[in-house]
Amino acid sequence: RKEVEQDPGPFNVPEGATVAFNCTYSNSASQSFFWYRQDCRKEPKLLMSVYSSGNEDGRFTAQLNRASQYISLLIRDSKLSDSATYLCVVNRRGRDDKIIFGKGTRLHILP
Amino acid sequence: ETGVTQSPTHLIKTRGQQVTLRCSSQSGHNTVSWYQQALGQGPQFIFQYYREEENGRGNFPPRFSGLQFPNYSSELNVNALELDDSALYLCASTSSPVSTDTQYFGPGTRLTVL
């Protein structure tokens, strides 16, 4: 089992719809969590950090469930510009193998 | 723009050669991490440098090595290149090695090994 797993998609969603995807992690020593967005042939950019209490940034909501070891991302009122790959990132304690990216979930917003 | 720059943008090498990739961190950042991203995969952590010392390493062989300079810029060196080393190499800088800090990525170097 991979340490960080994401459904690769693609998720094909009509504009204006709500979409959600999860990311599961296997190491309970995981310490901090992030969602990054990566456009085709570009570098990843931080979308949002994920806090235990859950957090919202405009149309985006992130949740962390430590008991079940997953994080989620919800996008409301999706826009064409939301089309991208969404990468889940888990940082864990320790010196080595401490920053783990998921493979990413591809999202296509359809007009 | 993040202020993190990488050079070169693209590179073509042949098997067995050696390559050096460069990264300039964002102003005020003292920590640089390097990643390998193969096509269709997420970035894989190679190693991290903090104040000129290696501060953690991923599951990569010793032929992947690095340096960080007093101005916090960094180099990734790969010896004895293999076909599977073809990938996008990303560097990211942070203001500290604390795990909660946001990483700012450079645009990457696309390496092709023939």
Side-chain angles (χ1 to χ4, degrees), chain A residues 82-93:
Chain A
D82 295 334
S83 297
T85 295
Y86 291 84
L87 297 161
C88 163
V89 184
V90 174
N91 291 359
R92 57 188 184 86
R93 294 185 190 96

Side-chain angles (χ1 to χ4, degrees), chain A residues 25 31-33 48-57 60-67 70-72:
Chain A
Y25 61 94
Q31 197 171 28
S32 52
F33 309 87
M48 55 200 306
S49 304
V50 187
Y51 304 118
S52 297
S53 54
N55 47 302
E56 190 173 308
D57 182 1
F60 298 84
T61 301
Q63 298 274 357
L64 166 62
N65 186 317
R66 284 192 184 272
Y70 74 85
I71 67 172
S72 63

Side-chain angles (χ1 to χ4, degrees), chain B:
Chain B
E1 296 298 324
T2 63
V4 179
T5 60
Q6 291 187 243
S7 62
T9 309
H10 295 86
L11 202 51
I12 299 174
K13 291 283 189 179
T14 55
R15 263 189 313 177
Q17 284 190 307
Q18 178 266 341
V19 69
T20 297
L21 310 182
R22 295 178 176 84
C23 172
S24 291
S25 59
Q26 186 168 320
S27 177
H29 286 188
N30 58 22
T31 304
V32 173
S33 301
W34 284 93
Y35 296 86
Q36 180 194 68
Q37 187 174 24
L39 202 59
Q41 305 292 316
Q44 277 198 281
F45 175 66
I46 303 175
F47 42 56
Q48 182 182 82
Y49 276 83
Y50 169 58
R51 292 187 172 177
E52 303 178 59
E53 298 283 334
E54 188 180 285
N55 187 49
R57 192 176 180 92
N59 189 24
F60 280 81
R63 60 189 185 84
F64 285 78
S65 63
L67 281 175
Q68 188 177 33
F69 300 100
N71 67 355
Y72 303 128
S73 66
S74 178
E75 282 183 358
L76 163 66
N77 298 292
V78 187
N79 292 325
L81 283 167
E82 300 177 0
L83 297 179
D84 284 351
D85 296 334
S86 295
L88 178 68
Y89 288 84
L90 296 158
C91 78
S93 76
T94 47
S95 56
S96 80
V98 172
S99 66
T100 52
D101 273 4
T102 299
Q103 297 189 82
Y104 295 90
F105 283 86
T109 294
R110 194 163 296 278
L111 173 65
T112 302
V113 182
L114 302 176

